[in-house]
Amino acid sequence: MRILIVGAGATGGAFGTRLIEAGRDVTFLVRPARAALVRREGLRFTDPSGTRTLRVGVRTADEIAAAPEVFDLVVITVKAPALEAAIADVAPAVGEGTVVLPILNGMAHLDRLEQAFGSRVLGGLAMIVATLDDGAVVQMNDWSAITIGDGAPAVARALDVPGIRLTVEGDIVGAMWAKWAFIAASGIDCCLFRSAAGPVIRAGGEPQVRALIAETEAVAAAAGHPVPAASHERTVATLVDADSTMTSSLYRDLVAGLPHEGEQILGDLAARGRALGVATPLLDLTLVQVRADALQRAGS
């Protein structure tokens, strides 16, 4: 299976490294500056086991447009603000038999991708804590998981490699909602209190943290996708741990002044909550803060 990974950032770079190390045929679709860096220095990857540099295949959008080639699997790993550009860039690489697997946060991207690629789109999600550090991909702990919808056994075989915990899920939409409820809760926690999870609890914030978890999960339940008990317990264990140093990716992007997924993670969830009649005061308060930060950075 020929695999095209759209993006060689934290998520795409980490999963792509695992696939390449397992002998999969992987090419990265990246921006020209990233392509030049990776061609010159290789793809540097660090995880708890150590650091290595891989020589990998990269293509730019202009290169694919000039010499189109169809891939069997296209994995979209860019963040939501880059989705529209990614759809246009990857279109020449998508054929009748191509499977398009997005592992973005939230739910709004599914409708847009299905508009562009129809039934080729396979629902999916990823759980990984990774970042970019001076061009290098850094996976911060051992957790690296991908969940995909059923009905694509060849994709499952391709992604089932050491270093990736693969799950094939019959109710992929429900699984995506469960993840959305978690990342929204962690985003509210960190962005509202401007802190990692642990200090919020040590400062006496446990009642508020439990309340914000209840808000995000209430929206999921009202939408017809109640969060399973096991997922709820994992969320509580993560966010009510007084010793936790966990920060959400939304918060890390926000404080670094980088493009972020505040609207996709928080804004869309708040809008759905209003439409469903679910009160989300802590989510709404955090969304105001995130939007105000964006306005200040833009000088508005």
Side-chain angles (χ1 to χ4, degrees):
M1 177 169 280
R2 301 192 64 231
I3 302 171
L4 180 67
I5 297 181
V6 185
T11 300
F15 288 127
T17 295
R18 302 296 187 187
L19 293 169
I20 292 167
E21 290 180 333
R24 302 301 192 255
D25 182 350
V26 173
T27 301
F28 293 94
L29 174 58
V30 294
R31 297 299 182 201
R34 183 67 168 156
L37 176 67
V38 172
R39 284 169 174 157
R40 183 174 66 251
E41 299 182 4
L43 180 64
R44 292 180 290 147
F45 177 70
T46 297
D47 70 359
S49 70
T51 299
R52 56 267 204 197
T53 299
L54 287 73
R55 292 293 169 183
V56 303
V58 295
R59 303 285 301 279
T60 66
D62 287 345
E63 290 167 350
I64 284 185
E69 55 180 318
V70 172
F71 288 78
D72 302 303
L73 173 62
V74 173
V75 185
I76 300 180
T77 71
V78 298
K79 293 195 175 182
L83 178 61
E84 285 299 323
I87 289 172
D89 292 348
V90 80
V94 176
E96 285 301 317
T98 302
V99 175
V100 178
L101 174 63
I103 49 176
L104 284 75
N105 291 320
M107 296 292 293
H109 63 279
L110 274 185
D111 290 340
R112 180 65 189 94
L113 285 165
E114 287 172 355
Q115 288 175 1
F117 303 118
S119 61
R120 300 177 187 87
V121 179
L122 178 68
L125 61 93
M127 297 293 280
I128 190 169
V129 181
T131 189
L132 278 182
D133 182 7
D134 192 27
V137 177
V138 180
Q139 183 179 321
M140 300 155 121
N141 58 29
D142 290 327
W143 186 255
S144 170
I146 293 177
T147 301
I148 65 172
D150 59 4
V155 173
R157 288 193 296 272
L159 298 179
D160 189 8
V161 301
I164 297 177
R165 303 178 192 184
L166 179 71
T167 302
V168 178
E169 173 61 62
D171 180 15
I172 188 61
V173 174
M176 292 172 69
W177 267 98
K179 180 194 175 182
W180 190 8
F182 166 70
I183 61 172
S186 61
I188 297 167
D189 187 13
C190 296
C191 294
L192 181 60
F193 296 112
R194 296 284 168 161
S195 172
V200 175
I201 301 304
R202 297 199 299 274
E206 182 173 340
Q208 290 79 16
V209 171
R210 289 185 180 274
L212 64 87
I213 293 170
E215 285 186 16
T216 66
E217 293 186 355
V219 178
H225 302 284
V227 173
S231 296
H232 168 76
E233 292 304 325
R234 283 194 296 270
T235 299
V236 172
T238 300
L239 299 185
V240 187
D241 177 2
D243 296 321
S244 175
T245 60
M246 189 280 301
T247 56
S248 73
S249 61
L250 171 58
Y251 175 68
R252 293 194 299 272
D253 288 342
L254 185 72
V255 297
L258 299 173
H260 59 72
E261 297 180 312
E263 290 302 326
Q264 290 75 24
I265 295 174
L266 304 182
D268 189 24
L269 192 67
R272 294 184 193 227
R274 286 193 299 274
L276 293 165
V278 178
T280 56
L282 292 170
L283 167 57
D284 296 342
L285 183 62
T286 307
L287 189 57
V288 170
Q289 184 181 104
V290 169
R291 287 172 173 168
D293 180 88
L295 291 172
Q296 288 187 84
R297 291 181 186 276
S300 300

